[in-house]
Amino acid sequence: LSALRLLAAPLADWLIHAGHDTAALLVFAAAGASDGLDGFIARRWGVTSDFGAWLDPAADKFLMLLCLVALCAVGVVPPGLLVLVVSRDFAIAAGWLMIKLLGVHMETRALFLGKLSTVFQILYVLAALLLLAFDLDAPRLMLAAAWICAGFTLLSAIAYAGVFLGAMRSGRHVVP
């Protein structure tokens, strides 16, 4: 199911660019439903793997980023919000890579604020696609949603920076 979400990401991107808003909404919603189903199957029957644990969030992030980029390109997402989301994700990836390269021990897990930020990003993209699909305009709502999404994205970036800095400061190096 994660692999299908990886394939859904460029399809959703293309659909948004091509103006097929209802189809883009359906692809995004189906990808979200498959993510929920994937999680249910993994918990219910214990079907997990290290690769799946990596691929699942990567597929979700790829879908989210491509949809945000496409929605920004068609003028729906403010460029500042896109830059903030991409910068946060890049900083988290760079921080994690630095921790690993330095051999510092750190538990790898998503923070609550990170999950909350992702929820608001998903809701923002969903709202944007709904408005496009039904040819509705709600500029005040979308502006408020953009600010809320940006706020939680920034808070989660600060929280992850704190975790990375704390791990670096503790200096608990992994012995190879």
Side-chain angles (χ1 to χ4, degrees):
L1 292 175
S2 296
L4 290 176
R5 276 195 311 286
L6 273 177
L7 296 174
L11 176 60
D13 175 76
W14 178 81
L15 290 168
I16 292 167
H17 277 98
H20 301 295
D21 305 323
T22 303
L25 173 63
L26 292 173
V27 167
F28 188 79
S34 79
D35 187 29
L37 180 62
D38 197 11
F40 172 77
I41 290 169
R43 283 186 299 279
R44 175 82 166 128
W45 287 286
V47 182
T48 61
S49 69
D50 288 339
F51 181 68
W54 174 86
L55 183 62
D56 182 61
D60 296 342
K61 193 52 63 180
F62 189 53
L63 176 67
M64 182 63 57
L65 289 175
L66 283 186
C67 285
L68 281 170
V69 167
L71 288 167
C72 185
V74 298
V76 175
V77 170
L81 178 59
L82 176 62
V83 168
L84 180 62
V85 170
V86 171
S87 297
R88 171 199 169 260
D89 291 346
F90 178 78
I92 289 170
W96 181 84
L97 182 60
M98 185 179 354
I99 292 288
K100 293 299 179 191
L101 289 174
L102 293 174
V104 175
H105 174 72
M106 185 183 91
E107 182 182 340
T108 305
R109 62 178 176 81
L111 298 179
F112 176 73
L113 270 174
K115 290 181 179 187
L116 199 55
S117 171
T118 300
V119 166
F120 279 107
Q121 290 171 14
I122 290 167
L123 291 173
Y124 183 82
V125 169
L126 185 60
L129 289 172
L130 279 167
L131 290 173
L132 285 173
F134 290 100
D135 201 26
L136 299 172
D137 195 28
R140 285 191 215 143
L141 172 71
M142 290 309 290
L143 180 61
W147 277 105
I148 292 167
C149 188
F152 278 99
T153 300
L154 188 57
L155 286 174
S156 72
I158 292 167
Y160 277 107
V163 168
F164 290 135
L165 290 174
M168 298 278 290
R169 192 173 26 250
S170 75
R172 290 177 291 162
H173 292 277
V174 177
V175 179

